[in-house]
Amino acid sequence: MKKISIIYEVVVLLFILMFLYAAFNKLFSFEVYKLQLDTQPFDDRYTPLLAVAIPSAEILVSLLLIIPKTKTLGLYLATFLMVIFTGYIVLIKVRYFGMIPCSCGGVITHLTWIQHLWFNLFFLVGGISGIISKRKLMADQRLASN
Protein backbone atom coordinates (compact mmCIF):
# COMPACT_ATOMS: atom_id res chain seq x y z
CA MET A 1 0.00 0.00 0.00
CA LYS A 2 2.90 2.38 0.71
CA LYS A 3 4.30 1.85 -2.82
CA ILE A 4 0.93 2.82 -4.29
CA SER A 5 0.85 6.01 -2.21
CA ILE A 6 4.39 6.91 -3.29
CA ILE A 7 3.52 6.42 -6.99
CA TYR A 8 0.50 8.69 -6.59
CA GLU A 9 2.46 11.42 -4.79
CA VAL A 10 5.38 11.33 -7.25
CA VAL A 11 3.03 11.62 -10.22
CA VAL A 12 1.25 14.56 -8.58
CA LEU A 13 4.55 16.29 -7.82
CA LEU A 14 5.85 15.80 -11.37
CA PHE A 15 2.64 17.25 -12.81
CA ILE A 16 2.84 20.27 -10.49
CA LEU A 17 6.45 20.96 -11.48
CA MET A 18 5.84 20.46 -15.19
CA PHE A 19 2.66 22.54 -15.40
CA LEU A 20 3.98 25.40 -13.26
CA TYR A 21 7.21 25.50 -15.27
CA ALA A 22 5.27 25.51 -18.54
CA ALA A 23 2.77 28.15 -17.39
CA PHE A 24 5.31 30.57 -15.96
CA ASN A 25 7.61 30.13 -18.94
CA LYS A 26 4.71 31.17 -21.18
CA LEU A 27 3.79 34.12 -18.97
CA PHE A 28 7.36 35.40 -18.54
CA SER A 29 7.91 35.39 -22.30
CA PHE A 30 4.32 36.21 -23.18
CA GLU A 31 4.95 38.07 -26.45
CA VAL A 32 7.17 35.26 -27.79
CA TYR A 33 4.57 32.72 -26.65
CA LYS A 34 1.80 34.60 -28.50
CA LEU A 35 3.94 34.70 -31.66
CA GLN A 36 4.52 30.95 -31.34
CA LEU A 37 0.78 30.41 -30.96
CA ASP A 38 0.27 32.33 -34.20
CA THR A 39 2.36 29.67 -35.98
CA GLN A 40 -0.03 26.95 -34.81
CA PRO A 41 -2.72 25.78 -37.24
CA PHE A 42 -5.52 27.66 -35.48
CA ASP A 43 -7.20 30.82 -36.66
CA ASP A 44 -5.13 33.72 -35.28
CA ARG A 45 -8.25 35.27 -33.77
CA TYR A 46 -8.10 32.51 -31.12
CA THR A 47 -4.55 33.46 -30.09
CA PRO A 48 -5.57 35.95 -27.36
CA LEU A 49 -7.92 33.38 -25.80
CA LEU A 50 -5.44 30.49 -26.03
CA ALA A 51 -2.56 32.66 -24.80
CA VAL A 52 -4.41 33.22 -21.53
CA ALA A 53 -6.41 29.97 -21.29
CA ILE A 54 -3.52 27.50 -21.60
CA PRO A 55 -1.24 28.88 -18.86
CA SER A 56 -4.31 29.61 -16.70
CA ALA A 57 -5.41 25.98 -17.03
CA GLU A 58 -1.89 24.80 -16.18
CA ILE A 59 -1.79 26.98 -13.05
CA LEU A 60 -5.33 26.00 -12.02
CA VAL A 61 -4.55 22.30 -12.37
CA SER A 62 -1.34 22.78 -10.36
CA LEU A 63 -3.27 24.51 -7.59
CA LEU A 64 -5.82 21.69 -7.55
CA LEU A 65 -2.95 19.21 -7.26
CA ILE A 66 -1.43 21.14 -4.35
CA ILE A 67 -4.64 21.36 -2.30
CA PRO A 68 -5.22 18.01 -0.53
CA LYS A 69 -9.02 18.06 -0.96
CA THR A 70 -8.80 18.67 -4.72
CA LYS A 71 -5.68 16.63 -5.49
CA THR A 72 -7.57 13.74 -7.12
CA LEU A 73 -9.65 16.11 -9.27
CA GLY A 74 -6.41 17.85 -10.23
CA LEU A 75 -4.87 14.54 -11.26
CA TYR A 76 -7.83 13.73 -13.49
CA LEU A 77 -7.67 17.20 -15.08
CA ALA A 78 -3.88 17.02 -15.50
CA THR A 79 -4.22 13.67 -17.24
CA PHE A 80 -7.04 15.05 -19.42
CA LEU A 81 -4.83 18.00 -20.44
CA MET A 82 -2.09 15.55 -21.37
CA VAL A 83 -4.57 13.60 -23.52
CA ILE A 84 -5.41 16.84 -25.35
CA PHE A 85 -1.79 17.98 -25.71
CA THR A 86 -0.64 14.50 -26.80
CA GLY A 87 -3.51 14.18 -29.27
CA TYR A 88 -2.52 17.53 -30.77
CA ILE A 89 1.05 16.32 -31.26
CA VAL A 90 -0.19 13.12 -32.92
CA LEU A 91 -2.33 15.22 -35.29
CA ILE A 92 0.75 17.34 -36.10
CA LYS A 93 2.88 14.25 -36.76
CA VAL A 94 0.31 12.73 -39.13
CA ARG A 95 0.14 16.13 -40.86
CA TYR A 96 -3.56 16.50 -40.16
CA PHE A 97 -3.17 20.28 -40.34
CA GLY A 98 -1.02 20.12 -43.49
CA MET A 99 1.92 21.78 -41.72
CA ILE A 100 4.28 21.21 -38.85
CA PRO A 101 4.39 24.33 -36.65
CA CYS A 102 7.05 25.24 -34.13
CA SER A 103 6.81 23.78 -30.65
CA CYS A 104 6.24 26.26 -27.85
CA GLY A 105 7.47 26.54 -24.33
CA GLY A 106 10.88 26.71 -22.70
CA VAL A 107 12.88 23.50 -22.77
CA ILE A 108 10.20 21.93 -24.97
CA THR A 109 11.20 24.20 -27.86
CA HIS A 110 14.48 22.30 -28.02
CA LEU A 111 12.72 18.97 -28.48
CA THR A 112 11.69 17.53 -31.80
CA TRP A 113 8.00 16.73 -32.16
CA ILE A 114 8.78 13.04 -31.63
CA GLN A 115 10.71 13.83 -28.44
CA HIS A 116 7.84 16.08 -27.37
CA LEU A 117 5.45 13.19 -28.02
CA TRP A 118 7.52 10.87 -25.80
CA PHE A 119 7.67 13.56 -23.12
CA ASN A 120 3.88 13.89 -23.19
CA LEU A 121 3.37 10.12 -23.27
CA PHE A 122 5.55 9.84 -20.16
CA PHE A 123 3.23 12.26 -18.32
CA LEU A 124 0.13 10.66 -19.79
CA VAL A 125 1.18 7.21 -18.60
CA GLY A 126 2.18 8.76 -15.28
CA GLY A 127 -1.24 10.34 -14.93
CA ILE A 128 -3.01 7.08 -15.69
CA SER A 129 -0.72 5.26 -13.24
CA GLY A 130 -1.46 7.88 -10.60
CA ILE A 131 -5.22 7.51 -11.11
CA ILE A 132 -5.00 3.72 -10.89
CA SER A 133 -2.82 4.00 -7.78
CA LYS A 134 -5.27 6.40 -6.13
CA ARG A 135 -8.22 4.12 -6.92
CA LYS A 136 -6.37 1.12 -5.49
CA LEU A 137 -5.39 3.10 -2.42
CA MET A 138 -9.01 4.16 -1.85
CA ALA A 139 -10.24 0.58 -2.33
CA ASP A 140 -7.64 -0.70 0.15
CA GLN A 141 -8.72 1.96 2.66
CA ARG A 142 -12.37 0.96 2.29
CA LEU A 143 -11.48 -2.69 2.86
CA ALA A 144 -9.39 -1.83 5.91
CA SER A 145 -12.22 0.21 7.45
CA ASN A 146 -14.74 -2.64 7.09
Side-chain angles (χ1 to χ4, degrees), residues 6-19:
I6 290 171
I7 291 170
Y8 176 72
E9 294 300 331
V10 167
V11 168
V12 166
L13 179 63
L14 288 174
F15 267 128
I16 292 167
L17 293 172
M18 188 265 300
F19 278 133

Side-chain angles (χ1 to χ4, degrees), residues 19-20 22-23 26 53-63 81 85:
F19 278 133
L20 286 180
K26 290 174 180 96
I54 293 171
S56 296
E58 292 168 336
I59 292 169
L60 175 64
V61 167
S62 295
L63 290 174
L81 281 178
F85 295 155

Side-chain angles (χ1 to χ4, degrees), residues 43-141:
D43 191 320
D44 288 351
R45 67 181 160 193
Y46 297 118
T47 297
L49 173 65
L50 291 172
V52 173
I54 293 171
S56 296
E58 292 168 336
I59 292 169
L60 175 64
V61 167
S62 295
L63 290 174
L64 291 171
L65 288 166
I66 291 168
I67 299 168
K69 288 187 178 194
T70 59
K71 190 181 289 189
T72 300
L73 172 62
L75 182 58
Y76 276 93
L77 291 175
T79 304
F80 177 70
L81 281 178
M82 292 314 298
V83 167
I84 292 170
F85 295 155
T86 304
Y88 177 65
I89 292 171
V90 169
L91 290 176
I92 287 171
K93 285 308 295 171
V94 299
R95 296 186 186 266
Y96 176 81
F97 302 110
M99 61 177 278
I100 297 181
C102 75
S103 60
C104 304
V107 174
I108 300 293
T109 53
H110 301 295
L111 300 179
T112 67
W113 280 107
I114 291 294
Q115 291 167 332
H116 194 162
L117 178 61
W118 283 110
F119 178 86
N120 282 26
L121 286 171
F122 170 81
F123 278 93
L124 182 55
V125 169
I128 292 167
S129 298
I131 289 168
I132 291 168
S133 295
K134 179 62 176 181
R135 286 185 174 189
K136 178 146 179 46
L137 189 61
M138 290 170 64
D140 290 348
Q141 289 172 345

